[in-house]
């Protein structure tokens, strides 16, 4: 198997030089994608013996290198992109040969491509230790270079973090002139092709991984190599200037080419593109947005169509943290959203804030970036001053990932922008943009010291983000999302490495980074709560601000933070020992699970609790197609589970709500796997809340005034106390507690118990309380986490019951609950929508709730939409989603549920809802309707619209057609008036896939393929490809697979290519483990079989089990499945060798080929079949030989030699000996005579003894032996008539036939 490059950085050798400052000058031709540049690097040598400087430099042609004003002639540059293809007709089985050629660039860090040997006359001078220059420290942020192989061949080295030191040797500059004929990587160009109608712009790609920024200019491509920068970018002034052909060689209107036409002029295909643009668009000025402060903008007098923008960055940054964008951007001053009071409060600390977007998106930018001014002010006051002088946001197309973090600047995707009438993406977009801002503090200014320290940077950045979102959205939203995140982490963190070890493999798969983004901030969140409990009012914020301050003043070397440093800072400022905390939550893996049992001891007046802790064992889960490629990568790179913690220890807060309604918190210490604790009870009497409410309802129904003060029981105000009258109970079919349950409630000594009330653990807790205690907690506890965790989730897990349906309905109907609790209650009602004893009670409650909130009185007709209330909008979306999941005993959606969804889709009215779009709501209805329709068993009709239904179903063909027509109506409308991100078209295509797989409609590939054409929006195009692959059409049609692989390898958008590669992995995962439908069908078939000989099927079942549960078994089945698929082989190899791919994408394809195909060190040689000749007489003794279209596929029979005549030596013959023999005879001592080189018979010596003379008869004219080659039809061979030739046996003949090859004879 091909060796996989190590993901972790190797041990680095001490640096041999550092970079103090780097100046970069770039001249970019946006139309032809050419770049001319010059960089000046100020080198600080660490040794007087420095002879070689190694730099990273890709896709550049080095023109000139000087060191200290002396030209360097011994410069070695290996261009890696020239090695990205094999020189013969190779295939996927030769993937290892291609990897071997670029193996040095796939390492981390990659090998340096540019080797500069300093001239022998160049001397490094020492600096006077008492001079001012020597006393100037480099600081802890200077970047470090390397001399990896100087006098040490075979030893690898790289840039290392600098330590604070004084100048010992005089710095010297290295100046490099370079040129990039065609930019392949490093810059993304959008809208410069004639068929692309978007506004032209360009921007730098993500430089987070090494080996990318060096594609633009020579540098040290290492995150820890930091220095100050000066960047100069020359480009066209306007779009029209950029689209104009180059005229640099035109003088006085006369070009250097033929007839005055410039030789470098681009083809005429670009002229229609320029003419299609209006004069107003061509006049749009191109702006340069770059890392640093804009110091000057200079016009070029020799080239009036060019301008130069100069930026200065005095804050040390690495080359990977630089970025720029060029385009017709519109500017929005986001500081205008800052309140005057906040501006006065900050004073000089108020940071300038700028937003840039493409024309026409200004209002979307204002709406999307509205909270950015408040966020940067919050971070400044809470965590310290902003590390740079300004902050810029620039929104572009085709970017992947959604945000690129660079110094001063965040390059963001246009998909993050949304108008004011769109509700859905608010939370996601805010979190992404706020995190981009927080990354300027932690991620750009402060970086991880080692890859394993990545969790610190990621965790602090997202912790800061969540802190501001808590202020922006409120505590309920913050707590609810934290609880959902915790549940997801507990489910995912099984058999996984720790967050400390995950940092080293974060680039292996996107899931690794997502898991780190989930757990790392959650760990810091529970650490913050423990700090707060111990008396530190500021919690973790004080520690974070101290880290930033140390990085600013230089106490944090090179701005690189380590786990050990962060741990010590937390202990110092938190006044607590944290060894066990970091050992469990940072260096350890997994999350604890608690089982709690409690009992009230009346004799001791205590609550006895037994807390049992356990760890989840790695589950024997089935592989899934979505995560198949991630499982393969983890298996290959030996990513195993981290050290499992047998016991998690620490404090836990238990809150007991006693009978008087007061919560009493008790702090216990978890030290063992089993913890027994007795908690004192404080209340001397009981309050019977449920009995009290029953009394109130009975008395009110009887018309008697009820005075709660006259009774011993005190009724506490609670949530969910709606629909209490007898009339409402009958109309809504509500249930109540039985008399036995109320009697049992009256005997309880406490209302409920809540474990970990302060959210100090990432765990899952299972308690054994009575059901009415969960109800009391749902109604009385004001904490959203308590309502969701120990009430809604518990009741949702119970079996269907009218009482639980009633509780969930009242929770849904009470607007005082947080909308997340209400939507969870609506989803829980699905379990209670059962026929039989439940009589569809849950479905009735969902329908009645929707009618109450969103329909006319006593009518199922929906009112016009009104999305002004966000909470009501989420309820309006959630109820149809829940109804779509209702199933009968046979697994089918009832007709009333389908009718409900169709009516809401058909009669949707958004005319009075002008401020908000209903596209996401419509998408929910379409998705729910298709899901409900697909629940029907497959139909046996061959026609698209010819369906058969069960007689007792109550359905008919007209209803089915009505559903399909309604879905298609919204799809067609979306083509004329596109919805936000074409969500309606995407949902309609998803519905086509769902209904096709269910057998409701016949698959129609042409319907989906029309959305896969070039020029279609990327999201819609990817959606169409995804549905084609999931429907199995790529297996049935090789043309579909060929088109998908071609698009994946040639599409210019990195966003499309990245997501298409994920679709390919999902497609291969389906082939490896089988689709869900195939497995279910196979299982049903096996259940119906009667096994006569069990041993015969044991091996097959073992193989199937290994295929579904192990990566090795799945890969074996996948290799067997695709071994004869030539379309996949050719498509993968074509995509792999495409000049569009970057090195990172090539690595993904190489890893994939290494797992699918065996290595074959062979070369495929292609030879053309020989073609028959035809001969024609030209005249004058000449013949013309030409090829015919007829080819020869079988070899000619071997020709036997003609019979030969043996002449005895004694016999004297008068022979006409050819000139070669005559010459040999002359050389033997004879003297020649005669003419024509033919000696006389008297002078010719006799043949040697034993030598035979062979005579061959002359061949007929026009017959040529050995004629070969692949000539054109018009080419011809002209031959003369050969003469009889005598050949002496034992000697090689000089000539058999004389051919004169020339041009065709007319």
């Amino acid at each position: 198997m091909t060796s996989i490059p190590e993901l972790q950085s190797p041990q680095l050798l001490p640096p041999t030089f550092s970079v103090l400052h780097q100046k970069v000058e770039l001249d970019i031709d946006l139309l032809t994608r050419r770049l001319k540049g010059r960089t000046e690097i100020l080198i600080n040598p660490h040794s007087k013996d420095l002879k070689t400087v190694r730099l990273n430099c890709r896709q550049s042609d080095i023109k000139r290198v000087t060191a200290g004003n002396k030209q360097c002639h011994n410069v070695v540059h290996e261009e890696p992109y020239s090695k990205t293809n094999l020189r013969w007709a190779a295939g996927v089985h030769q993937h290892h040969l291609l990897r071997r050629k670029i193996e040095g660039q796939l390492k981390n860090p990659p090998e340096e491509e540019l080797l500069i040997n300093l001239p022998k006359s160049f001397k490094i001078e020492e600096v006077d230790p008492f001079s001012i220059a020597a006393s100037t420290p480099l600081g802890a942020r200077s970047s470090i270079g390397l001399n990896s192989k100087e006098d040490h061949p075979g030893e690898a080295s790289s840039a290392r973090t600098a330590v604070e030191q004084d100048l010992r040797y005089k710095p010297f500059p290295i100046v490099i002139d370079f040129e990039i004929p065609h930019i392949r990587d490093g810059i993304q160009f959008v809208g410069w092709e004639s068929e692309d109608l978007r506004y032209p712009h360009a921007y730098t790609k993500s430089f987070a991984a090494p080996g990318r920024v060096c594609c633009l200019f020579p540098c040290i491509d290492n995150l820890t190599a930091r220095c100050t920068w000066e960047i100069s970018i020359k480009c066209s002034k306007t779009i029209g200037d950029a689209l104009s052909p180059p005229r640099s060689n035109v003088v006085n209107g006369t070009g250097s080419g033929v007839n005055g036409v410039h030789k470098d002029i681009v083809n005429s295909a670009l002229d229609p593109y320029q003419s299609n643009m209006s004069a107003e668009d061509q006049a749009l000025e191109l702006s340069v947005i770059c890392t640093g402060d804009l110091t000057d903008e200079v016009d070029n007098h020799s080239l009036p169509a060019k301008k130069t923008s100069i930026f200065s960055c005095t804050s040390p940054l690495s080359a990977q943290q630089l970025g720029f964008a060029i385009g017709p951007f519109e500017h929005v001053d986001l500081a205008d959203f800052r309140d005057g009071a906040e501006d006065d409060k900050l004073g000089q600390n108020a940071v300038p804030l700028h937003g840039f977007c493409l024309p026409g998106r200004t209002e979307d930018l204002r709406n999307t970036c509205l909270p950015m001014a408040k966020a940067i002010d919050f971070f400044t006051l809470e965590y310290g001053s902003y590390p740079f002088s300004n902050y810029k946001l620039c929104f572009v197309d085709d970017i992947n990932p959604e945000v690129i973090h660079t110094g001063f600047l965040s390059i963001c995707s246009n998909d993050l922008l949304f108008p004011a009438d769109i509700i859905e993406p608010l939370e996601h977009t805010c979190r992404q943009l706020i995190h981009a801002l927080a990354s300027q503090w932690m991620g750009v200014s402060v970086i991880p010291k080692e890859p394993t320290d990545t969790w610190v940077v990621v965790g602090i950045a997202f912790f800061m983000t969540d802190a501001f979102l808590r202020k922006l959205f409120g505590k309920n939203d913050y707590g609810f999302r934290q609880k959902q995140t915790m549940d997801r982490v507990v489910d995912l963190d099984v058999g996984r490495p720790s967050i400390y070890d995950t940092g080293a493999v974060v680039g292996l798969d996107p899931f690794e980074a997502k898991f780190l983004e989930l757990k790392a901030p959650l760990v810091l969140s529970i650490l913050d709560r423990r700090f707060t409990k111990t008396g530190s009012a500021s919690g973790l914020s004080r520690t974070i601000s101290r880290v930033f301050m140390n990085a600013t003043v230089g106490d944090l070397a090179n701005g690189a933070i380590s786990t050990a440093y962060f741990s010590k800072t937390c202990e110092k400022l938190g006044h607590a020992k944290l060894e066990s905390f970091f050992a469990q939550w940072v260096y350890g893996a997994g999350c604890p699970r608690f089982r709690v049992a409690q009992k009230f001891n009346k004799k001791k007046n205590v609550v006895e609790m037994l807390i049992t802790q356990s760890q989840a064992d790695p589950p024997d889960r089935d592989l899934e197609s979505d995560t198949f490629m991630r499982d393969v990568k983890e298996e290959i790179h030996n990513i195993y589970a981290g050290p499992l913690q047998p016991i998690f220890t620490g404090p836990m807060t238990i809150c007991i709500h006693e009978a008087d309604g007061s919560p009493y918190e008790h702090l216990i210490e978890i030290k063992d796997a089993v913890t027994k604790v007795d908690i004192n009870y404080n209340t001397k009497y009981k309050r019977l809340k449920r009995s009290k409410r029953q009394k109130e309802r009975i008395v009110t129904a009887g018309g008697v005034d009820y005075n709660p003060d006259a009774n011993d029981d005190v009724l506490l105000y609670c949530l969910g106390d709606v629909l209490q009258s007898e009339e409402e109970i009958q109309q809504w079919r509500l249930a109540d507690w039985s008399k036995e349950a109320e009697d049992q409630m009256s005997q309880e000594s406490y209302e409920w118990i809540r474990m970990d009330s302060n959210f100090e653990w990432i765990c899952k807790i299972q308690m054994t309380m009575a059901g009415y205690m969960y109800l009391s907690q749902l109604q009385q506890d004001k904490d959203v986490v308590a309502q969701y965790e120990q009430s809604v989730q518990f009741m949702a897990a119970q079996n269907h019951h009218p009482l639980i349906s009633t509780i969930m309905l009242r929770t849904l109907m009470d607007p005082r609950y947080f909308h997340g609790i209400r939507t969870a209650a609506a989803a829980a009602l699905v379990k209670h929508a059962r026929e039989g004893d439940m009589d569809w009670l849950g479905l009735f409650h969902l329908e009645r709730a929707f009618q109450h909130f969103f329909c006319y009185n006593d009518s199922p007709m929906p009112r016009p939409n009104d999305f002004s209330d966000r909470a009501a909008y989420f309820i309006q979306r959630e109820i149809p989603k829940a109804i779509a999941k209702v199933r009968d005993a046979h697994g089918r959606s009832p007709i009333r549920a389908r009718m409900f969804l169709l009516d809401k889709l058909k009669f949707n009215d958004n005319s009075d809802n002008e401020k908000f779009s209903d596209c996401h709501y419509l998408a929910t209805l379409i998705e729910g309707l298709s899901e409900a329709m697909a629940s029907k068993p497959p139909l046996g009709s061959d026609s698209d619209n010819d369906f058969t239904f069960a007689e007792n179903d109550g359905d008919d063909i007209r209803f089915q057609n009505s559903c399909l027509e309604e879905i298609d109506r919204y799809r067609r409308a979306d083509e004329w008036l596109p919805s936000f991100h074409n969500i309606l078209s995407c949902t309609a295509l998803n519905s086509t896939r769902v209904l096709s797989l269910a057998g409701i409609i016949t698959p129609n590939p042409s319907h989906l393929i029309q959305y896969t054409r070039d020029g279609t929006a990327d999201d819609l195009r990817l959606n169409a490809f995804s549905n084609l692959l999931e429907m199995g059409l790529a297996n049935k049609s090789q043309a579909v697979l060929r088109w998908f692989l071609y698009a994946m390898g040639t599409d210019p958008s990195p966003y499309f290519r990245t997501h298409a590669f994920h679709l390919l992995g999902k497609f291969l995962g389906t082939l490896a483990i089988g689709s869900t439908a195939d497995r279910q069908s196979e299982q049903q078939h096996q259940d119906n079989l009667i096994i006569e000989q069990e041993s015969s099927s044991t091996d097959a079942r073992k193989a199937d089990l290994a295929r579904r549960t192990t990566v090795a078994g799945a890969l074996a089945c996948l290799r067997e499945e695709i071994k004869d698929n030539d379309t996949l082989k050719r498509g993968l190899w074509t995509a792999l060798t495409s000049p569009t791919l970057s090195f990172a994408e090539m690595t993904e394809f190489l890893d994939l080929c290494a797992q699918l195909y065996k290595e074959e060190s062979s070369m495929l040689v292609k030879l053309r079949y020989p073609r028959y000749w035809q001969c024609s007489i030209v005249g004058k003794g000449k013949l013309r030989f030409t090829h015919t279209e007829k080819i020869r596929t079988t070899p000619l029979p071997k020709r036997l030699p003609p019979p030969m005549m043996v002449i005895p030596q004694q016999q004297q013959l008068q022979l006409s000996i050819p000139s070669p023999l005559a010459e040999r005879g002359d050389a033997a001592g004879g003297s020649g005579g005669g003419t024509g080189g033919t000696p006389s018979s008297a002078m010719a010596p006799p043949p040697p003894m034993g030598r035979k003379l062979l005579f061959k008869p002359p061949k007929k004219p026009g017959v040529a032996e050995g004629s070969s080659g692949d000539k054109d039809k018009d080419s011809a061979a002209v031959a003369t008539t050969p003469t009889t030739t005598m050949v002496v046996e034992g000697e090689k003949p000089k000539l058999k036939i004389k051919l004169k090859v020339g041009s065709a004879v007319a």
Side-chain angles (χ1 to χ4, degrees), residues 305-344:
K306 294 275 189 176
K307 69 175 181 179
T308 303
S309 302
I310 303 174
F311 297 86
S312 176
C313 179
T314 57
S315 301
L317 294 173
S318 68
Q320 296 181 10
Q321 295 172 332
L322 303 180
F324 62 84
I326 305 173
F329 298 113
E330 296 180 351
H331 173 252
V332 175
D333 189 358
L334 300 178
D336 294 341
F337 296 107
R338 183 180 286 127
D339 296 337
E342 295 178 353
D343 205 357
D344 296 338

Side-chain angles (χ1 to χ4, degrees), residues 28-31 190 192 199-202 233-243 277 281-289 297 305-309 325-330 358-359:
I28 305 176
D29 190 332
L30 297 170
L31 184 61
V190 181
W192 298 99
Y199 283 102
H201 59 284
I233 299 176
K234 181 191 292 186
C235 66
S236 302
K237 284 186 177 180
T238 64
I239 293 180
D241 295 335
L243 295 176
M277 296 188 67
D281 289 339
Q282 294 186 32
L284 292 175
E285 183 177 358
L286 294 177
S287 302
V288 180
I289 318 300
E297 195 168 81
K306 294 275 189 176
K307 69 175 181 179
T308 303
S309 302
I326 305 173
F329 298 113
E330 296 180 351
L358 295 173

Side-chain angles (χ1 to χ4, degrees), residues 34 36 245-258 260-265 302-303:
R34 296 178 182 175
K36 293 182 179 180
R247 302 181 183 276
S248 57
N249 293 339
V250 178
V251 180
N252 296 328
T254 303
S256 59
V258 181
V261 180
H262 193 279
K263 62 182 180 180
D264 292 333
I265 196 166
S302 59
L303 294 173

Side-chain angles (χ1 to χ4, degrees), residues 1287-1300:
V1287 183
V1288 179
E1289 187 181 20
E1291 293 188 7
K1292 186 176 181 180
K1294 296 297 181 179
L1295 187 64
K1296 289 186 177 181
I1297 186 171
K1298 296 179 181 179
L1299 291 176
K1300 182 178 180 182

Side-chain angles (χ1 to χ4, degrees), residues 171-187:
F172 63 92
I174 291 182
V175 181
I176 305 173
D177 295 330
F178 60 94
E179 183 178 348
I180 303 178
H182 184 80
I183 300 176
R184 170 174 175 171
D185 198 3
I187 299 180

Side-chain angles (χ1 to χ4, degrees), residues 89-123:
V92 289
H93 291 284
Q94 286 77 45
H95 57 84
H96 62 293
L97 301 178
L98 180 57
R99 178 186 289 273
R100 192 179 303 165
K101 294 181 64 176
I102 60 175
E103 188 173 6
Q105 279 63 43
L106 301 182
K107 296 179 180 178
N108 188 10
E111 294 180 355
E112 299 79 12
E113 297 85 5
L114 181 60
L115 173 63
I116 302 174
N117 294 305
L118 301 178
K120 294 182 179 180
S121 59
F122 183 81
K123 303 297 182 182

